Amino acid sequence: MSGAATLAERYGPRALILGGSEGIGAEFADLLAGAGLDLTLVARSAAALNETAGKIRRVHGVDVETIELDLTAPDIPSRATDIIAARDYGLVIYNAGATHGVSLFLDQPVERALNLVALNCASPVAFAHAALGKMREKGRGGLILISSMSGLVGSGYVAAYAASKAFEIVLAEGLHWELQRDGVDILCAVASLTDTPAMQRSGMVAVEGLTPMDARTFASGALGALGTTPVWYAVGDTAVEGLRAMPRPAATANASAISAQLWGIEADRGG
């Protein structure tokens, strides 16, 4: 999908961006506002939401609504229904779900893993179900789920996070197959290491040879891929094919070693 007029015609009049206060979400917001779409931005931090919304209003002159919401809350299905019913959304972007620090699965409370399942599995399902029915009726619209390269293979130190991100990839593939006949575009945009405020707060350390992608480059690439494929990999298909060619145990060992490097952990467990 390319061109401001095309974005507005295909996905207007308004976009809902969940996790839209900073980083990749804020870049999506700026790009879509520049194409003439009004916005609803959702995140936990009212201060960050208001800062981003104010900037976009000043620069682009579009209407920007903000909603402060914890996307792991138990009432998300009803909240999703209410939010979608309140506006005419032509595009929904689910961008929440960064990991904040890592450790072995059994070395952290089970609530932490369940929180990731709520954030990356239950909440995307709730918003997708609420939004896509209206889009199917109109015969147009789009949904973008933001996943991670962590979702391509199991990984120590981020076991639940990686599994939850795999869910988003597979969900998008199935929804794409179901809804392409109805004119609704579904995309899972799979991020590599990306330079965002959330990444900087997560405790990651610099690793030679691993250079974070620019958040705007990722957002622009995802919008360009929307409507062309069910899954878009920011690193390119060649890198993904190389990973998939590895035996699964070796790929998991490699991913676990990278996770340990990124968070400065001495990887002394696992085979």
Side-chain angles (χ1 to χ4, degrees), residues 15-238:
L16 171 65
I17 305 176
L18 301 136
S21 62
E22 62 180 25
I24 291 170
E27 296 297 348
F28 273 121
D30 188 65
L31 289 166
L32 291 168
L37 279 76
D38 294 326
L39 303 171
T40 297
L41 307 180
V42 178
R44 286 182 300 177
S45 170
L49 278 170
N50 291 333
E51 181 179 354
T52 297
K55 178 181 178 181
I56 290 173
R57 292 186 193 108
R58 290 191 301 271
V59 173
H60 298 292
V62 300
D63 180 71
V64 185
E65 174 189 34
T66 62
I67 299 174
E68 187 179 353
L69 179 64
D70 180 354
L71 292 168
T72 68
D75 64 343
I76 280 298
S78 62
R79 292 298 305 272
T81 298
D82 292 344
I83 289 170
I84 295 298
R87 299 282 191 170
D88 184 10
Y89 294 109
L91 180 63
V92 174
I93 300 175
Y94 194 91
N95 174 60
T99 187
H100 297 282
V102 302
S103 63
L104 296 172
F105 180 75
L106 293 179
D107 289 349
Q108 55 189 331
V110 68
E111 288 78 14
R112 184 167 178 179
L114 291 173
N115 184 74
L116 288 168
V117 172
L119 186 62
N120 292 327
C121 303
S123 193
V125 165
F127 278 96
H129 198 274
L132 293 175
K134 293 177 67 175
M135 293 179 187
R136 183 171 64 177
E137 290 177 2
K138 292 190 298 184
R140 70 175 182 89
L143 170 70
I144 301 177
L145 304 177
I146 308 303
S147 185
S148 164
M149 288 291 288
S150 298
L152 296 185
V153 65
S155 174
Y157 306 105
V158 290
Y161 173 76
S164 68
K165 284 301 183 181
F167 178 89
E168 290 180 307
I169 297 172
V170 176
L171 177 64
E173 289 175 324
L175 293 178
H176 170 81
W177 186 91
E178 291 185 3
L179 289 161
Q180 61 182 335
R181 71 196 75 181
D182 299 307
V184 181
D185 299 326
I186 310 294
L187 175 73
C188 185
V190 183
S192 59
L193 189 63
T194 306
D195 187 8
T196 67
M199 185 202 80
Q200 295 164 13
R201 292 192 299 266
S202 73
M204 281 187 183
V205 299
V207 175
E208 185 177 354
L210 294 176
T211 302
M213 176 178 282
D214 175 69
R216 191 174 188 86
T217 299
F218 175 81
S220 179
L223 288 175
L226 182 61
T228 69
T229 181
V231 183
W232 171 75
Y233 300 97
V235 297
D237 291 342
T238 300

